[in-house]
């Protein structure tokens, strides 16, 4: 809507500019034919010029890239039912009222055209080479419309009759009716601008000047022609789509008949519009685009997360049907309806219902209504700590997206991952390692078979990787040390077995004691794997460590930057664990299912 209003304002501004320059410089000149094309080109330019834009590139210095940029999806749980009240859309009301007036004006023009042809169909006609003469005893004001000239011959003498026909023949021959209709259409489209009505009046007036000027070239007596103009005084209003012989501007027409021809050197006045058009283009039609300087031959890869269970403002109807089908099971029925979109195709209203098939009265409903594009809605199906399914809706405040900045050599050293795999990536250290903090994929097994896979520093196969419990995954790193790439998976302390040793301040504790620890009191966590035997070393903020056979108290000093960083990292890792575990599990299950489907298809082939 904003773009349309801006375009509308630009068109009206250009129309005003053309009219004012005509009024100041050209109205009193006798370049009637030139003025006709000036006024027509003014309307055409006003429509076309705002659609033409030029781009200007401004080069800026690149911002320094930090060594570690954390990209974490922020997910906020919403209430079961969220309804946004839809305010009154005044812009829609005004635009509808404006369009209604425009339609009525155009409809009136159509009725006048139909009325004209209905009127002449039964009248006497006399065909000539370039026009058709129609005799009407009920017509007092002679007029023409395209190739038709309508006149009442009983009202005029033979000489007057010849003057009128000569005048109207000029209108027919030069197709002045086209100008009349064009001006009428512009009045319908931009009726709110008073200048457009004055513009139309100037166009009709100039057409009469053209016809008068050419008529005098064929008529011997200028005086007799002026008497004919004065005699034709209409008591009945003509159709607005015609070229009537008599108009209220007859005084100006007589004045122009006695005006000397303008000198050709005055044609420079047409050029006065050029600075206006150039200024318009420079001020309004140049878009500035900032481009980062390519100082180090940097290549940017845009990466976005695509979730199969996510509804965004740009989700298509087919995708909604697919999501609705995928979440409909023997126990749950998902319904998505009341979808409304704006002019850009973005969803502004939607209703989602999760209905229990066992008890239809049990529903989880989320409904959003408004004028703005909806926020991203995730449909989740998770299991809680008691192994019970939890299905509902979440509004995702921001979908994690990132850009991978890499040098040109990275394109050959990057592990062979398919392009349709969506990654959230971070630059981790000076060795150009790429840290993957989340993975979403719509395709099965997009890992190169030759890629080396490590689980807690131990090499494993692709099959063993598929068996990893997603809940235990702490991080996944993709490294470029080898040509085929490496994937290193580190599991969290949830992946504990009987042989895992847990140390708290160098004292062995049980798994139950580990679960009771206050994470806010933890200073650091270190996971070790010594010859296949795992151990977890945890250090509290205030701890006593043995060093050189003497006790040394290690205390947390508030304000130290290193301690703050470690604490923040620990909190982030612990908070991310739940979200990453559930998402990783879903993705692994999907990957397995897709692999099975792919294998079955290959067997069939």
């Amino acid at each position: 809507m904003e773009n349309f209003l801006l375009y509308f304002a630009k068109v009206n501004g250009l129309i005003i500019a053309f009219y004012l320059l005509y009024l100041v410089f050209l109205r009193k000149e006798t370049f009637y034919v030139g003025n006709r094309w000036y006024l027509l080109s003014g309307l055409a330019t006003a429509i076309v010029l705002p659609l033409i834009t030029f781009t200007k590139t401004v080069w800026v210095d690149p911002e320094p890239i930090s060594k570690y940029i954390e990209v974490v999806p922020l997910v906020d749980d919403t209430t079961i039912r969220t309804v946004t009240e839809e305010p009154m859309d005044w812009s829609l009301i005004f635009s509808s009222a404006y369009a209604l007036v425009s339609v009525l004006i155009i409809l009136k023009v159509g009725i006048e055209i139909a009325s004209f042809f209905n009127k002449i169909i039964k009248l006497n006609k006399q065909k000539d080479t370039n026009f058709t003469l129609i005799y009407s005893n009920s017509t007092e004001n002679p007029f023409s419309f395209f190739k038709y000239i309508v006149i009442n011959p009983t009202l005029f003498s033979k000489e007057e009759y010849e003057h009128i026909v000569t005048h109207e023949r000029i209108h027919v021959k030069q197709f002045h009716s086209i100008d009349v209709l064009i001006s009428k259409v512009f009045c319908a489209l931009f009726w709110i601008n008073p200048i457009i009505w004055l513009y139309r009046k100037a166009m009709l007036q100039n057409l009469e000047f053209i016809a008068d000027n050419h008529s005098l070239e064929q008529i011997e007596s200028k005086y007799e022609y002026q008497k004919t103009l004065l005699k034709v005084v209409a008591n009945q209003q003509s159709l607005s789509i015609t070229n009537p012989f008599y108009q209220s501007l007859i005084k100006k027409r007589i004045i122009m008949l006695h005006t000397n021809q303008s000198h050709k050197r005055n044609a420079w006045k047409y050029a006065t519009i050029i600075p206006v058009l150039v200024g318009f283009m420079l001020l309004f039609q140049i878009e500035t685009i900032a481009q980062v300087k390519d100082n180090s031959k940097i290549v940017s890869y845009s990466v976005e997360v695509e979730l199969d269970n996510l509804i965004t403002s740009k989700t298509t109807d087919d995708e909604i049907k697919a999501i609705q089908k995928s979440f409909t099971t023997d126990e749950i029925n998902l319904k998505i309806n009341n979808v409304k979109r704006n002019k850009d195709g973005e969803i502004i209203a939607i209703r989602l219902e999760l209905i229990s098939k066992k008890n239809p009265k049990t529903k989880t409903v989320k409904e959003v209504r408004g004028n703005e594009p909806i926020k991203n809605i995730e449909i989740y199906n998770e299991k809680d700590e008691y192994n019970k399914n939890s299905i509902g809706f979440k509004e995702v405040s921001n979908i994690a997206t990132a850009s991978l900045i890499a040098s040109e050599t990275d394109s050959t050293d990057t592990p062979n991952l398919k392009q349709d795999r969506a990654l959230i990536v971070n630059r981790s250290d000076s060795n150009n390692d790429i840290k993957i903090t989340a993975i979403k994929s719509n395709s099965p097994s997009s890992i190169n078979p030759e890629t080396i896979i490590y689980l807690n520093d131990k090499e494993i196969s692709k099959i063993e990787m598929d068996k990893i419990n997603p809940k235990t995954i702490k991080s996944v790193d993709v490294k470029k040390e080898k040509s085929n790439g490496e994937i290193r998976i580190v599991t969290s302390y949830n992946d504990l077995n009987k042989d895992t040793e847990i140390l708290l301040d160098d004292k062995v504790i049980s798994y139950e004691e580990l679960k009771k620890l206050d994470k806010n009191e933890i200073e650091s966590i270190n996971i070790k794997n010594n010859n296949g035997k795992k151990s977890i070393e945890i250090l509290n903020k205030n701890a006593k460590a043995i060093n050189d056979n003497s006790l040394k108290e290690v205390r947390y000093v508030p304000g130290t930057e290193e301690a703050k960083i470690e604490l923040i990292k620990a909190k982030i890792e612990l908070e991310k664990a739940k979200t990453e575990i559930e998402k990783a599990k879903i993705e692994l299950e999907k990957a397995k299912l897709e692999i099975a489907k792919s294998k079955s298809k290959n067997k069939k082939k």
Side-chain angles (χ1 to χ4, degrees):
M1 178 61 73
E2 291 180 1
N3 291 335
F4 176 78
L5 290 177
L6 182 61
Y7 172 78
F8 185 85
K10 289 178 179 179
V11 172
N12 282 279
L14 287 173
I15 289 174
I16 293 172
F18 270 90
Y19 177 74
L20 292 178
L21 289 177
Y22 171 81
L23 207 63
V24 173
F25 294 103
L26 300 171
R27 183 183 52 155
K28 295 182 179 180
E29 300 295 335
T30 60
F31 304 131
Y32 305 127
V33 176
N35 289 350
R36 178 193 182 190
W37 295 115
Y38 171 86
L39 293 170
L40 284 175
S41 62
L43 297 179
T45 303
I47 291 293
V48 175
L49 203 60
L51 300 176
I52 301 174
T53 57
F54 298 95
T55 57
K56 177 184 178 183
T57 303
V58 178
W59 295 93
V60 296
D61 293 326
E63 294 182 1
I65 302 173
S66 61
K67 291 185 177 180
Y68 190 89
I69 304 172
E70 190 70 26
V71 183
V72 182
L74 303 178
V75 181
D76 298 326
D77 291 341
T78 59
T79 56
I80 293 178
R81 182 183 181 91
T82 304
V83 180
T84 305
E85 292 297 330
E86 184 176 1
M88 186 174 293
D89 191 351
W90 288 104
S91 62
L92 180 61
I93 294 173
F94 288 134
S95 59
S96 299
Y98 186 92
L100 179 61
V101 175
S102 298
V103 170
L104 290 175
I105 296 174
I106 293 177
L107 188 61
K108 181 178 179 292
V109 173
I111 293 172
E112 288 183 355
I113 294 174
S115 175
F116 169 78
F117 285 104
N118 185 56
K119 180 178 181 180
I120 67 172
I121 195 170
K122 298 179 182 179
L123 298 176
N124 296 327
K125 302 179 182 65
Q126 178 183 337
K127 291 187 177 181
D128 203 330
T129 305
N130 298 321
F131 62 93
T132 300
L133 198 59
I134 299 175
Y135 300 108
S136 173
N137 294 328
S138 61
T139 301
E140 297 182 4
N141 186 16
F143 63 88
S144 63
F145 182 66
F146 285 98
K147 65 177 182 178
Y148 300 101
I149 298 176
V150 182
I151 188 172
N152 185 353
T154 61
L155 298 178
F156 308 102
S157 66
K158 182 179 180 181
E159 187 178 17
E160 292 169 344
Y161 174 84
E162 291 296 332
H163 292 168
I164 294 170
V165 172
T166 301
H167 178 94
E168 297 301 331
R169 189 189 296 121
I170 303 301
H171 286 309
V172 172
K173 186 178 180 180
Q174 297 190 11
F175 302 100
H176 289 175
S177 293
I178 295 176
D179 301 46
V180 176
L181 287 179
I182 290 175
S183 64
K184 196 69 176 179
V185 170
F186 269 81
C187 286
L189 295 178
F190 305 103
W191 59 267
I192 199 170
N193 180 8
I195 297 297
I196 193 61
W197 299 95
L198 298 176
Y199 200 105
R200 168 181 160 79
K201 183 179 180 181
M203 289 180 68
L204 299 182
Q205 175 180 295
N206 187 68
L207 294 178
E208 295 304 320
F209 293 159
I210 293 174
D212 289 339
N213 189 52
H214 283 74
S215 296
L216 287 181
E217 295 175 359
Q218 305 175 36
I219 297 173
E220 296 180 357
S221 175
K222 183 186 295 187
Y223 175 73
E224 294 297 330
Y225 183 76
Q226 294 177 51
K227 283 177 59 179
T228 304
L229 288 179
L230 293 172
K231 181 177 180 179
V232 183
V233 179
N235 297 320
Q236 182 178 351
Q237 188 175 1
S238 303
L239 297 175
S240 63
I241 59 172
T242 62
N243 295 293
F245 182 77
Y246 166 80
Q247 290 190 17
S248 59
L249 51 88
I250 194 167
K251 180 180 177 181
K252 292 182 180 178
R253 290 172 62 183
I254 293 175
I255 292 173
M256 295 305 290
L257 287 174
H258 292 275
T259 302
N260 295 328
Q261 293 294 317
S262 300
H263 199 280
K264 290 183 178 180
R265 65 170 176 264
N266 290 341
W268 67 266
K269 296 181 179 180
Y270 289 110
T272 55
I273 192 63
I274 295 177
V276 176
L277 299 180
V278 172
F280 174 83
M281 294 298 295
L282 293 176
L283 290 174
F284 303 109
Q285 299 307 110
I286 295 181
E287 295 181 358
T288 302
I289 299 177
Q291 185 76 28
V292 179
K293 290 182 180 178
D294 194 4
N295 293 335
S296 59
K297 296 182 180 180
I298 289 176
V299 182
S300 177
Y301 303 90
S302 293
V303 184
E304 294 185 359
V305 176
E306 296 182 4
L307 299 177
D308 295 337
N309 57 337
L310 187 74
I311 296 178
T312 70
S313 60
K314 296 182 179 179
T315 301
T316 64
D317 292 337
D318 291 337
E319 290 171 342
I320 288 177
K321 290 179 182 178
I323 294 173
Q324 187 172 263
K325 185 177 180 181
S326 64
F327 276 87
T328 299
T329 63
D330 295 336
E331 298 179 355
I332 294 294
N333 185 24
L334 173 63
K335 288 186 178 181
I336 304 176
N337 49 31
N338 294 347
V339 178
K340 293 183 179 179
R341 300 179 184 272
N342 57 20
K343 292 182 179 180
D344 297 327
E346 297 174 316
I347 299 176
I348 57 175
I350 193 170
R351 178 183 174 87
L352 301 94
E353 287 183 339
L354 282 169
I355 306 171
S356 172
K357 290 185 177 180
K358 295 180 180 179
N359 185 6
K361 293 184 179 180
T362 303
K363 295 182 180 179
T364 301
V365 180
K366 181 172 184 63
E367 186 174 4
V368 179
R369 292 180 298 172
N371 298 323
E372 299 297 325
I374 64 170
K375 293 182 179 179
N376 304 316
I377 302 174
E378 181 183 356
I379 309 169
Y380 64 86
N381 187 355
E382 303 173 348
K383 287 188 178 181
D384 57 18
E385 56 184 345
Y386 302 104
N387 206 30
K388 292 182 179 179
N389 273 357
S390 175
I391 303 177
F393 310 109
K394 293 178 182 178
E395 272 194 4
V396 184
S397 58
N398 70 315
I399 296 300
T401 60
S403 293
L404 171 60
I405 309 298
S407 65
E408 288 183 340
T409 56
D410 292 343
S411 60
T412 56
D413 296 337
T414 303
N416 188 5
L417 299 178
K418 291 188 178 179
Q419 291 183 355
D420 60 354
R421 195 161 179 84
L423 308 174
I424 305 175
V425 297
N426 298 311
R427 175 73 66 186
S428 60
D429 53 37
S430 59
N431 295 326
N432 285 334
D433 291 343
I434 304 167
K435 182 176 181 182
I436 302 177
T437 58
I439 300 178
K440 285 290 180 183
S441 175
N442 294 324
S443 63
S445 188
S446 56
I447 299 176
N448 189 335
E450 298 181 1
T451 300
I452 302 174
I453 305 170
Y454 292 94
L455 174 62
N456 298 326
D457 296 325
K458 181 181 178 181
E459 186 175 345
I460 62 173
S461 65
K462 172 68 174 61
I463 297 175
E464 290 176 310
M465 187 191 76
D466 292 338
K467 294 180 180 179
I468 297 175
N469 185 353
K471 292 183 178 181
T472 65
I473 295 176
K474 180 180 179 182
S475 66
V476 180
D477 292 342
V478 177
K479 297 190 176 182
K480 303 174 293 180
E481 296 172 354
K482 306 207 172 184
S483 59
N484 294 324
E486 292 181 357
I487 296 180
R488 292 185 175 271
I489 303 173
V490 178
T491 55
S492 63
Y493 59 77
N494 289 327
D495 185 23
L496 301 179
N497 52 43
K498 296 180 180 179
D499 298 330
T500 303
E501 185 179 39
I502 306 172
L503 299 174
L504 174 62
D505 301 332
D506 293 329
K507 294 181 181 181
V508 178
I509 63 173
S510 65
Y511 177 68
E512 296 299 326
E513 291 175 309
L514 173 65
K515 289 170 56 177
K516 294 178 181 179
L517 288 178
D518 185 357
K519 61 186 179 183
N520 294 323
E521 296 297 325
I522 295 176
E523 182 175 355
S524 65
I525 299 174
N526 187 21
I527 301 174
K528 294 184 177 181
N529 190 353
N530 299 321
N531 297 324
K533 184 177 180 180
K534 298 179 182 177
S535 65
I536 300 177
E537 295 180 357
I538 303 172
L539 186 64
N540 275 333
K541 291 179 182 177
N542 296 315
K544 293 191 176 206
I546 299 176
N547 186 14
D548 297 331
N549 297 323
S550 62
L551 290 177
K552 179 181 177 182
E553 187 172 2
V554 182
R555 294 186 178 274
Y556 170 71
V557 180
T560 60
E561 295 299 321
E562 292 183 358
K564 286 183 178 179
I565 293 172
E566 291 298 327
L567 281 173
I568 292 171
K569 286 184 178 181
K571 289 180 180 180
I572 290 174
E573 291 297 328
L574 289 172
E575 292 297 329
K576 283 167 43 180
K578 292 183 180 180
T579 304
E580 291 181 355
I581 286 169
E582 296 303 326
K583 290 183 177 180
K585 181 179 178 182
I586 294 173
E587 288 306 314
L588 285 174
E589 291 297 328
K590 287 183 179 179
K592 290 178 182 179
L593 181 60
E594 293 295 332
I595 291 170
K597 289 181 180 179
S598 179
K599 288 180 178 179
S600 62
K601 288 180 180 179
N602 291 332
K603 287 181 180 180
K604 290 180 180 179
K605 291 181 178 179

